[in-house]
Amino acid sequence: MAVTLPPLAPPTVPPPRPAPEEDAYASWYRAVLGWTVVGGPPAQLATGIRFDVLELPSDAGAALLRRPVATGPVALMGRRMRFLVAAGSAEELDGLLDWLEWGGVALDLAALGAGGRITAPVPPGHCVRDGSPRGAAVWLRPPEQGCEALLPALSGPGQGAGPGRVGAGPDLVRLVSAAATECHRARLRRRTPPRSAVAGPSRAGRVSP
């Protein structure tokens, strides 16, 4: 009499373990800053809990960093720069842009708030390992413990431009205004050909008849 054996269960493949440095990165954010780390690898930082993010092109962000505008921590990932702002600020961006008369202008300026996430940059003091992907996230202005209390936020009445709540850190309105200006300038620069291309060959390169 033939005996029917049950089908063999497929072997269970354990999920890939993150690299040791990824564990160290996530542990640093959790233990030192108390931030929420989700997903990975690479580790992701949840937005909308301890901070929101103002994101813009890196060329506009570099120009913004040269301006006398106070900011919080700033990270770079590829061609995008991320400015940390107070939690809840993402919901205010569209209204602020309208109030600043930038509404309807294509700026490539975005905000990440509740439900969003960003790739965790390499923590301060940690070396970027060899073989890291090009454009890995890095801190340009790294965060410190308790920095959330000093992130750009809307000022209260009599404390700065625009309506809003009391904030102990830099003024969000000034940061958004400067960011919008630099995004617009960067967009115009990308659309304008170099002056040499418009002028054509220089006189020194021409041959006299």
Side-chain angles (χ1 to χ4, degrees):
M1 179 179 176
V3 178
T4 303
L5 297 176
L8 294 174
T12 302
V13 179
R17 288 254 331 141
E21 62 270 12
E22 290 290 344
D23 282 334
Y25 296 175
S27 297
W28 186 85
Y29 282 107
R30 291 191 184 102
V32 177
L33 298 184
W35 290 358
T36 302
V37 181
V38 294
Q44 306 282 309
L45 301 176
T47 59
I49 301 175
R50 303 295 294 272
F51 60 87
D52 285 357
V53 169
L54 193 66
E55 186 180 89
L56 58 159
S58 58
D59 54 350
L64 178 56
L65 288 177
R66 292 192 292 267
R67 295 180 61 143
V69 178
T71 75
V74 181
L76 175 68
M77 172 116 186
R79 297 183 179 180
R80 305 292 290 179
M81 203 171 288
R82 292 162 174 169
F83 289 70
L84 268 58
V85 293
S89 299
E91 299 175 2
E92 308 289 346
L93 180 60
D94 289 343
L96 282 178
L97 290 175
D98 286 342
W99 187 76
L100 293 165
E101 300 184 352
W102 284 107
V105 180
L107 296 172
D108 200 10
L109 177 63
L112 297 173
R117 59 177 66 181
I118 62 170
T119 300
V122 177
H126 290 67
C127 296
V128 180
R129 65 184 177 87
D130 293 337
S132 294
R134 201 168 189 178
V138 295
W139 286 111
L140 302 179
R141 293 181 178 176
E144 298 178 353
Q145 193 173 28
C147 66
E148 298 90 346
L150 298 176
L151 293 178
L154 286 178
S155 301
Q159 291 184 309
R165 56 180 174 78
V166 175
D171 186 47
L172 180 67
V173 176
R174 290 188 175 90
L175 179 60
V176 169
S177 177
T181 299
E182 294 303 340
C183 284
H184 184 61
R185 288 175 176 173
R187 184 167 178 266
L188 292 178
R189 285 194 299 269
R190 292 185 217 110
R191 296 178 60 183
T192 304
R195 188 172 297 180
S196 58
V198 176
S202 65
R203 291 183 178 273
R206 294 178 183 173
V207 178
S208 301

